[in-house]
Structures are given as C-alpha cells and as structure tokens.
Amino acid sequence: MSFIDKAKNAAEDAIGKAKEVVGDATDNTDLEAEGKKDQGSAGVKKVGENIKDTFK
C-alpha cells in the first residue's frame, strides 16, 4: 500500500468520524449514517490494500 493510498484512507476515515460526531451532536441521523458509511468504506479499502500487499 502506497503512502498516498494510506493517507487517503486515513483522511476518509477521519472525515467519516467527524461527520458521525457532528450528526450525533445535531441529531442529524442522515449525516451520522453517512459518516459511518465513510468509515466502513475506508476500512474496506484498507483491507483490500493489505491483501494486495500480502501477495506482492
């Protein structure tokens, strides 16, 4: 996994966490769910990149 991919995944995860916190604080369930989705997406990408690294 390249440094750039790791940084992008970390940024997506951080943005997702921020959305989740803001959504929870403002009782905006849509924003909270979007944040959780972003975090899940970043996690899936991280696993995929780790699998690619394993088979290099």
Side-chain angles (χ1 to χ4, degrees):
M1 177 184 248
S2 74
F3 174 76
I4 293 171
D5 289 335
K6 287 181 182 179
K8 286 180 183 180
N9 289 341
E12 185 175 1
D13 186 53
I15 290 169
K17 286 179 184 176
K19 285 181 182 180
E20 182 180 2
V21 169
V22 170
D24 185 42
T26 60
D27 289 329
N28 184 338
T29 56
D30 291 337
L31 186 59
E32 188 175 356
E34 185 178 336
K36 288 181 181 181
K37 178 188 69 88
D38 289 348
Q39 291 177 64
S41 176
V44 169
K45 289 177 186 177
K46 182 178 179 183
V47 169
E49 290 294 329
N50 288 341
I51 290 170
K52 280 196 250 180
D53 288 345
T54 300
F55 290 106
K56 279 188 174 179

Coordinates of all heavy atoms in Angstrom, one line a residue:
M1 N 0.8 -1.2 0.0 CA 0.0 0.0 0.0 C 0.9 1.2 0.0 O 1.8 1.4 0.8 CB -0.9 0.0 1.2 CG -1.8 1.1 1.4 SD -2.7 1.1 3.0 CE -4.3 0.8 2.3
S2 N 0.7 2.1 -0.9 CA 1.5 3.3 -1.0 C 1.1 4.3 0.1 O 0.0 4.2 0.7 CB 1.3 3.9 -2.4 OG 0.1 4.6 -2.5
F3 N 2.0 5.1 0.3 CA 1.8 6.2 1.4 C 0.6 7.0 1.0 O -0.2 7.4 1.9 CB 3.1 7.0 1.5 CG 2.9 8.2 2.4 CD1 2.9 8.0 3.8 CD2 2.7 9.5 1.9 CE1 2.7 9.1 4.6 CE2 2.5 10.6 2.7 CZ 2.5 10.4 4.1
I4 N 0.4 7.3 -0.3 CA -0.7 8.2 -0.7 C -2.0 7.5 -0.5 O -3.0 8.1 0.0 CB -0.5 8.6 -2.2 CG1 0.7 9.5 -2.4 CG2 -1.8 9.3 -2.7 CD1 1.1 9.8 -3.8
D5 N -2.1 6.2 -0.8 CA -3.3 5.4 -0.5 C -3.6 5.4 1.0 O -4.8 5.5 1.4 CB -3.2 4.0 -1.1 CG -3.2 4.0 -2.6 OD1 -3.7 4.9 -3.2 OD2 -2.7 3.0 -3.1
K6 N -2.6 5.2 1.8 CA -2.8 5.2 3.3 C -3.3 6.5 3.7 O -4.2 6.6 4.6 CB -1.5 4.8 4.0 CG -1.1 3.4 3.9 CD 0.2 3.1 4.6 CE 0.7 1.7 4.5 NZ 1.9 1.4 5.2
A7 N -2.8 7.6 3.2 CA -3.2 8.9 3.6 C -4.6 9.2 3.2 O -5.4 9.8 4.0 CB -2.3 10.0 3.0
K8 N -5.0 8.8 2.0 CA -6.4 9.0 1.5 C -7.3 8.2 2.4 O -8.4 8.7 2.7 CB -6.5 8.5 0.1 CG -5.9 9.5 -0.9 CD -6.1 9.0 -2.3 CE -5.4 9.9 -3.4 NZ -5.6 9.4 -4.7
N9 N -7.0 6.9 2.7 CA -7.9 6.1 3.6 C -8.0 6.7 5.0 O -9.1 6.7 5.5 CB -7.4 4.7 3.6 CG -7.6 4.0 2.3 OD1 -8.4 4.4 1.5 ND2 -6.8 2.9 2.1
A10 N -6.9 7.2 5.5 CA -6.9 7.8 6.8 C -7.8 9.1 6.8 O -8.6 9.3 7.7 CB -5.5 8.1 7.3
A11 N -7.7 9.9 5.7 CA -8.5 11.1 5.6 C -9.9 10.8 5.5 O -10.8 11.4 6.1 CB -8.0 11.9 4.4
E12 N -10.3 9.7 4.7 CA -11.7 9.3 4.6 C -12.2 8.9 5.9 O -13.4 9.2 6.2 CB -11.8 8.2 3.5 CG -13.2 7.9 3.2 CD -13.4 6.9 2.1 OE1 -12.4 6.4 1.5 OE2 -14.5 6.5 1.7
D13 N -11.4 8.1 6.6 CA -11.9 7.6 7.9 C -12.1 8.8 8.9 O -13.1 8.9 9.6 CB -10.8 6.7 8.5 CG -11.3 6.0 9.8 OD1 -12.4 5.4 9.8 OD2 -10.5 6.1 10.8
A14 N -11.2 9.8 8.9 CA -11.3 10.9 9.8 C -12.5 11.8 9.4 O -13.2 12.2 10.3 CB -10.0 11.8 9.7
I15 N -12.7 12.0 8.2 CA -13.9 12.7 7.7 C -15.2 12.0 8.1 O -16.1 12.6 8.6 CB -13.9 13.0 6.2 CG1 -12.7 13.9 5.9 CG2 -15.2 13.5 5.7 CD1 -12.5 14.1 4.4
G16 N -15.2 10.7 8.0 CA -16.3 9.9 8.4 C -16.6 10.0 9.9 O -17.7 10.2 10.3
K17 N -15.5 10.0 10.7 CA -15.7 10.1 12.2 C -16.2 11.5 12.5 O -17.1 11.6 13.4 CB -14.3 9.9 12.9 CG -13.9 8.5 12.9 CD -12.6 8.3 13.6 CE -12.2 6.8 13.5 NZ -10.9 6.6 14.1
A18 N -15.7 12.5 11.8 CA -16.2 13.9 12.1 C -17.7 14.0 11.7 O -18.5 14.6 12.5 CB -15.4 14.9 11.3
K19 N -18.1 13.5 10.6 CA -19.5 13.5 10.2 C -20.4 12.8 11.2 O -21.4 13.3 11.5 CB -19.7 12.9 8.8 CG -19.2 13.7 7.6 CD -19.5 12.9 6.3 CE -19.0 13.7 5.1 NZ -19.3 12.9 3.9
E20 N -19.9 11.7 11.7 CA -20.7 10.9 12.7 C -20.8 11.7 14.0 O -21.9 11.8 14.5 CB -20.0 9.6 13.0 CG -20.7 8.7 13.9 CD -20.0 7.4 14.3 OE1 -18.9 7.2 13.8 OE2 -20.6 6.6 15.0
V21 N -19.8 12.4 14.4 CA -19.8 13.1 15.6 C -20.8 14.3 15.5 O -21.6 14.6 16.3 CB -18.4 13.6 16.1 CG1 -18.5 14.6 17.2 CG2 -17.6 12.4 16.5
V22 N -20.6 15.1 14.3 CA -21.5 16.2 14.1 C -22.9 15.8 13.9 O -23.8 16.4 14.5 CB -21.0 17.0 12.8 CG1 -22.0 18.1 12.4 CG2 -19.7 17.6 13.1
G23 N -23.2 14.7 13.2 CA -24.5 14.2 13.1 C -25.1 13.8 14.4 O -26.3 14.1 14.7
D24 N -24.4 13.2 15.3 CA -24.9 12.8 16.6 C -25.2 14.0 17.4 O -26.2 14.1 18.1 CB -23.8 11.9 17.3 CG -24.3 11.3 18.6 OD1 -25.5 10.9 18.7 OD2 -23.5 11.3 19.6
A25 N -24.3 15.0 17.4 CA -24.5 16.2 18.2 C -25.7 17.0 17.7 O -26.3 17.7 18.6 CB -23.2 17.1 18.1
T26 N -26.0 17.0 16.4 CA -27.1 17.8 15.9 C -28.3 17.0 15.7 O -29.3 17.5 15.1 CB -26.7 18.5 14.6 OG1 -26.3 17.5 13.6 CG2 -25.5 19.4 14.8
D27 N -28.3 15.7 16.1 CA -29.4 14.8 15.9 C -29.8 14.7 14.4 O -30.9 14.5 14.0 CB -30.7 15.3 16.7 CG -30.5 15.0 18.1 OD1 -29.8 14.1 18.5 OD2 -31.1 15.8 18.9
N28 N -28.8 14.7 13.6 CA -28.9 14.5 12.1 C -28.6 13.1 11.8 O -27.4 12.8 11.6 CB -28.1 15.5 11.4 CG -28.2 15.5 9.9 OD1 -28.7 14.5 9.3 ND2 -27.9 16.5 9.2
T29 N -29.5 12.2 11.8 CA -29.3 10.8 11.6 C -28.7 10.5 10.2 O -27.9 9.6 10.1 CB -30.5 10.0 11.8 OG1 -31.6 10.4 11.0 CG2 -31.0 10.0 13.3
D30 N -29.1 11.3 9.2 CA -28.5 11.1 7.9 C -27.0 11.3 7.8 O -26.3 10.6 7.2 CB -29.2 12.0 6.8 CG -30.7 11.6 6.6 OD1 -31.0 10.4 6.8 OD2 -31.5 12.4 6.1
L31 N -26.6 12.4 8.4 CA -25.2 12.8 8.5 C -24.4 11.7 9.3 O -23.3 11.3 8.9 CB -25.0 14.2 9.0 CG -23.5 14.7 9.0 CD1 -23.0 14.7 7.6 CD2 -23.5 16.1 9.6
E32 N -25.0 11.3 10.4 CA -24.4 10.3 11.2 C -24.2 9.0 10.4 O -23.1 8.4 10.5 CB -25.2 10.1 12.5 CG -24.5 9.2 13.5 CD -25.4 9.1 14.8 OE1 -26.4 9.7 14.9 OE2 -24.9 8.3 15.6
A33 N -25.2 8.6 9.7 CA -25.1 7.4 8.9 C -24.1 7.5 7.8 O -23.4 6.6 7.5 CB -26.5 7.0 8.4
E34 N -24.1 8.7 7.2 CA -23.1 8.9 6.1 C -21.7 8.8 6.7 O -20.8 8.3 6.0 CB -23.3 10.3 5.5 CG -22.4 10.6 4.3 CD -22.7 12.0 3.7 OE1 -23.8 12.5 3.9 OE2 -21.8 12.5 3.1
G35 N -21.4 9.3 7.9 CA -20.1 9.2 8.5 C -19.7 7.8 8.8 O -18.6 7.4 8.5
K36 N -20.7 7.0 9.2 CA -20.4 5.5 9.5 C -20.1 4.8 8.2 O -19.3 4.0 8.1 CB -21.6 4.9 10.2 CG -21.7 5.3 11.6 CD -22.9 4.7 12.3 CE -23.0 5.1 13.8 NZ -24.1 4.5 14.5
K37 N -20.8 5.2 7.1 CA -20.6 4.6 5.8 C -19.2 4.9 5.3 O -18.5 4.1 4.8 CB -21.7 5.1 4.8 CG -21.5 4.6 3.4 CD -22.4 5.2 2.4 CE -22.1 6.6 2.1 NZ -21.1 7.0 1.1
D38 N -18.8 6.2 5.5 CA -17.5 6.6 5.0 C -16.4 5.8 5.8 O -15.4 5.4 5.2 CB -17.3 8.1 5.2 CG -18.1 9.0 4.3 OD1 -18.6 8.4 3.3 OD2 -18.2 10.2 4.5
Q39 N -16.6 5.7 7.1 CA -15.6 4.9 7.8 C -15.5 3.4 7.4 O -14.5 2.9 7.3 CB -16.0 4.9 9.3 CG -15.8 6.3 10.0 CD -16.3 6.3 11.4 OE1 -15.7 5.6 12.2 NE2 -17.3 7.0 11.7
G40 N -16.7 2.9 7.1 CA -16.7 1.5 6.6 C -16.0 1.3 5.3 O -15.3 0.4 5.0
S41 N -16.3 2.3 4.4 CA -15.6 2.3 3.1 C -14.1 2.4 3.2 O -13.4 1.7 2.5 CB -16.2 3.5 2.3 OG -15.6 3.6 1.0
A42 N -13.7 3.3 4.1 CA -12.2 3.4 4.3 C -11.6 2.1 4.8 O -10.5 1.7 4.4 CB -11.9 4.5 5.2
G43 N -12.4 1.4 5.7 CA -11.9 0.2 6.3 C -11.8 -0.9 5.2 O -10.8 -1.7 5.2
V44 N -12.8 -1.0 4.4 CA -12.8 -2.0 3.3 C -11.6 -1.7 2.3 O -10.9 -2.7 1.9 CB -14.1 -2.0 2.5 CG1 -14.0 -2.8 1.3 CG2 -15.2 -2.5 3.4
K45 N -11.4 -0.5 2.0 CA -10.2 -0.1 1.1 C -8.9 -0.5 1.8 O -8.0 -1.0 1.1 CB -10.2 1.4 0.8 CG -11.3 1.8 -0.1 CD -11.3 3.3 -0.3 CE -12.5 3.7 -1.2 NZ -12.5 5.2 -1.3
K46 N -8.8 -0.3 3.1 CA -7.6 -0.6 3.8 C -7.3 -2.1 3.8 O -6.2 -2.6 3.5 CB -7.7 -0.2 5.3 CG -6.4 -0.4 6.1 CD -6.5 0.1 7.5 CE -5.3 -0.2 8.3 NZ -5.4 0.2 9.7
V47 N -8.4 -2.9 4.0 CA -8.2 -4.4 3.9 C -7.8 -4.8 2.5 O -6.9 -5.7 2.4 CB -9.6 -5.1 4.4 CG1 -9.5 -6.5 4.1 CG2 -9.8 -4.8 5.9
G48 N -8.4 -4.3 1.5 CA -8.1 -4.6 0.1 C -6.7 -4.3 -0.2 O -6.0 -5.1 -0.8
E49 N -6.2 -3.1 0.3 CA -4.8 -2.8 0.0 C -3.8 -3.7 0.8 O -2.8 -4.1 0.3 CB -4.5 -1.3 0.4 CG -5.2 -0.3 -0.5 CD -4.6 -0.3 -1.9 OE1 -3.4 -0.6 -2.1 OE2 -5.4 -0.1 -2.9
N50 N -4.2 -4.1 2.0 CA -3.4 -5.0 2.8 C -3.3 -6.4 2.1 O -2.2 -7.0 2.1 CB -3.9 -5.2 4.2 CG -3.7 -3.9 5.0 OD1 -2.8 -3.1 4.7 ND2 -4.4 -3.8 6.1
I51 N -4.4 -6.8 1.5 CA -4.4 -8.1 0.8 C -3.5 -8.0 -0.4 O -2.7 -8.9 -0.7 CB -5.8 -8.5 0.4 CG1 -6.6 -8.9 1.6 CG2 -5.8 -9.6 -0.7 CD1 -8.1 -9.1 1.4
K52 N -3.5 -6.9 -1.2 CA -2.6 -6.7 -2.3 C -1.2 -6.7 -1.9 O -0.3 -7.3 -2.5 CB -2.9 -5.3 -3.0 CG -4.1 -5.3 -3.9 CD -4.1 -4.1 -4.8 CE -5.2 -3.1 -4.5 NZ -5.2 -1.9 -5.3
D53 N -0.9 -6.0 -0.8 CA 0.5 -6.0 -0.2 C 1.0 -7.4 0.1 O 2.1 -7.7 -0.1 CB 0.6 -5.1 1.0 CG 0.5 -3.6 0.6 OD1 0.6 -3.3 -0.6 OD2 0.3 -2.8 1.5
T54 N 0.1 -8.2 0.6 CA 0.4 -9.6 1.0 C 0.9 -10.4 -0.2 O 1.8 -11.2 -0.1 CB -0.8 -10.3 1.7 OG1 -1.1 -9.5 2.9 CG2 -0.4 -11.7 2.1
F55 N 0.3 -10.2 -1.3 CA 0.6 -11.0 -2.5 C 1.6 -10.4 -3.4 O 1.8 -10.9 -4.5 CB -0.7 -11.3 -3.3 CG -1.6 -12.3 -2.5 CD1 -2.8 -11.8 -1.9 CD2 -1.3 -13.6 -2.4 CE1 -3.6 -12.7 -1.2 CE2 -2.1 -14.5 -1.7 CZ -3.3 -14.0 -1.1
K56 N 2.3 -9.3 -3.0 CA 3.3 -8.7 -3.8 C 4.6 -9.5 -3.7 O 4.9 -10.2 -2.8 CB 3.6 -7.3 -3.4 CG 2.6 -6.3 -3.9 CD 3.0 -4.9 -3.6 CE 2.1 -3.9 -4.2 NZ 2.5 -2.6 -3.9

